[in-house]
């Protein structure tokens, strides 16, 4: 989920920029030692250095966010030039809730990555965050000056954490700047945009990965192995999945409620976890989908995007998957895989931490009905964002294709468009059969990256 509100003041500038398109960096008056435009007085503001003896009034101020829920570079063919610490440098594009609360703190748990640049529409916020994470002033950019990131040798990867409609533009600009791209999901707002993102990165000889953290998370990978091997499950028959939350009524104007920015409502934002995780667990692609959607009349949150969607997917092996997602219910983030000899359940399944895994297998007592024994599978939490970034960093260094490349995001977009068609027509929609397992995935995360 691209949780990318850049604060109230920054968000207004941000949405204005999104509606008007990028302003060429060359027409801006840029400070000589920074990629930021000069302020109105013509003097570039320096980032405070801070330190143990720094006065309290100069320490970073808390950042208040709106309530959200009830071409090729010169080094194209050269090996990655890492610094002395041998870490891949990452530019985080967008300083909204997801970046501030999850992605930036995850660098402390990362083994292979470090944050070396920030991109934001809010200069003051960017400077405060830079101070917190020791990012130099030369590593600060706004959305207009972003293209200058091509000249920053400390940035190898651009992590795009923006509203969905902007993923396409900034992926193309990052590729042209010669940077590898890690893009939050959903990949884009259309199949055409996804294809263009893939082509741009391929032409620039740069890797593109969609941030499907669930596919890197160890417990979900364990379920995938059990399911595919039939361990304790037998033949898998059904999957049921739900990802629901209650969007704030106090922030009706947030970008997730704008179709032009979000592409849709609950489905591409949180329902996508159900869709993508089902495909990941099974390793198959659906051959038919059927969907219905609903929005409460006169609810201002859902004038442009759907409130809820329920859908079914049929897979070549005969497995049926039932999913539901909603923007107006209490949190429910779970799934259950049911076979003919047992079941596996994750609840919560899609949260950032504290995932809970259970399973139940066929009883040895075949003479009478007995309540199934439920086993709780305990495992320590791993920072999902750190694992995800470390996998991509490993691919950047080795040149291997990421496990969730652009093709994976493109396939999800194809299926989502089929779901919207089904909901609109009231009929099932058939999809082209894909016979190859894991057809759109690359190199699985290494044990080192996920440990």
């Amino acid at each position: 989920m691209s949780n990318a509100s850049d604060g109230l003041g920054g968000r207004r500038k941000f949405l204005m920029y999104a509606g008007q398109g990028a302003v060429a960096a060359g027409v801006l008056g840029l400070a000589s030692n920074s990629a930021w435009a000069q302020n109105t007085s013509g003097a570039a503001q320096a980032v405070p250095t801070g330190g143990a003896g720094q006065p309290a009034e100069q320490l970073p101020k808390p950042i208040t966010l709106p309530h959200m829920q009830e071409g090729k570079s010169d080094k194209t063919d050269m090996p990655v030039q890492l610094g002395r610490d041998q870490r891949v440098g990452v530019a985080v594009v967008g300083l909204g809730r997801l970046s501030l609360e999850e992605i930036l703190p995850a660098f402390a748990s990362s083994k292979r990555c470090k944050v070396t640049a920030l991109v934001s529409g809010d200069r003051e916020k960017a400077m405060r965050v830079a101070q917190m994470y020791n990012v130099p002033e030369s590593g600060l950019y706004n959305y207009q000056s972003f293209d200058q990131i091509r000249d920053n040798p400390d940035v190898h990867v651009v992590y795009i954490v923006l509203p969905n409609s902007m993923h396409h533009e900034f992926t193309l600009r990052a590729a042209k700047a010669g940077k590898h791209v890690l893009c939050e999901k959903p990949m884009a707002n259309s199949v055409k945009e996804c294809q263009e993102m893939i082509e741009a990165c391929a032409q620039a000889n740069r890797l593109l990965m969609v941030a499907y953290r669930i596919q890197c998370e160890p417990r979900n990978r364990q379920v995938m192995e059990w399911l595919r091997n039939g361990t304790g499950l037998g033949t898998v028959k059904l999957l049921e999945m739900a990802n629901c939350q209650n969007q704030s009524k106090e922030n009706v104007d947030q970008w997730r409620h704008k179709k032009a920015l979000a592409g849709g409502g609950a489905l591409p934002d949180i329902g996508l976890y159900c869709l993508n995780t089902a495909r990941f667990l099974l390793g198959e692609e659906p051959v038919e989908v059927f969907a219905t959607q609903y929005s409460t009349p006169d609810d201002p949150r859902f004038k442009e995007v759907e409130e809820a969607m329920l859908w079914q997917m049929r897979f070549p092996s005969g497995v049926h998957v039932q999913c539901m997602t909603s923007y107006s219910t209490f949190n429910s983030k779970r799934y259950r895989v049911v076979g003919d000899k047992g079941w596996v359940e994750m609840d919560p399944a899609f949260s950032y931490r504290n995932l809970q895994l259970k399973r139940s297998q066929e009883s040895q007592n075949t003479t009478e009905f007995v309540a199934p024994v439920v086993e709780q599978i305990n495992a320590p939490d791993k920072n999902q964002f750190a694992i995800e970034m470390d996998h991509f960093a490993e691919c950047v260094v080795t040149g291997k294709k990421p496990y969730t490349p652009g093709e994976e995001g493109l396939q999800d977009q194809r299926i989502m468009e089929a779901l919207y068609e089904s909901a609109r027509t009231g009929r099932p929609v058939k999809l082209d059969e894909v016979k190859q397992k894991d057809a759109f995935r690359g190199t699985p995360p290494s044990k080192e990256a996920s440990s």
Side-chain angles (χ1 to χ4, degrees), residues 98 102-103 105-107 109-110 159 182 184 209-220 273 277 333 346 348-356 380-392 445 449-451:
L98 183 63
E102 302 295 340
I103 293 173
F107 282 96
S109 301
S110 172
Y159 192 164
L182 177 57
E184 266 301 324
M209 174 174 158
V210 183
Y212 291 117
R213 56 185 170 80
I214 295 300
Q215 297 200 35
C216 293
E217 196 279 322
R219 273 164 287 196
N220 281 282
Y273 284 100
T277 302
K333 303 177 182 298
M346 192 87 78
F350 309 124
S351 302
Y352 300 141
R353 55 190 62 84
N354 298 324
L355 306 188
Q356 300 294 316
D381 261 345
K382 302 291 184 182
N383 188 295
Q384 298 173 31
F385 293 94
I387 293 173
E388 174 184 79
M389 291 189 294
D390 283 351
H391 168 61
F392 191 48
S450 61
S451 63

Side-chain angles (χ1 to χ4, degrees), residues 259-377:
K259 188 171 183 179
L261 292 172
L267 176 61
D269 185 18
I270 57 177
L272 180 55
Y273 284 100
C274 301
L275 167 58
N276 184 262
T277 302
R279 294 179 48 245
F280 157 64
L281 294 176
L282 293 168
E284 295 184 272
E285 300 302 327
V287 293
E288 186 178 72
V289 299
F290 178 70
T292 59
Q293 70 180 50
Y294 176 78
S295 294
T296 301
D298 301 323
D299 190 322
R301 296 174 294 177
F302 311 121
K303 289 182 178 179
E304 298 184 22
V305 299
E306 78 279 357
E307 172 184 346
M309 181 170 280
L310 291 83
W311 74 96
Q312 297 174 340
M313 299 185 287
R314 180 171 61 85
F315 287 78
S317 64
V319 176
H320 283 72
V321 180
Q322 183 162 304
C323 304
M324 65 178 182
T325 189
S326 173
Y327 261 173
S328 62
T329 66
F330 188 72
N331 279 2
S332 180
K333 303 177 182 298
R334 59 173 178 79
Y335 67 75
R336 177 176 281 199
V337 181
V338 184
D340 60 358
K341 296 185 183 301
W343 57 255
V344 173
E345 179 181 271
M346 192 87 78
D347 186 6
F350 309 124
S351 302
Y352 300 141
R353 55 190 62 84
N354 298 324
L355 306 188
Q356 300 294 316
L357 177 58
K358 297 178 182 179
R359 67 177 175 178
S360 181
Q361 302 180 47
E362 188 176 55
S363 171
Q364 297 301 312
N365 187 341
T366 58
T367 60
E368 60 179 326
F369 174 80
V370 293
V373 175
V374 177
E375 178 186 7
Q376 176 80 41
I377 310 297

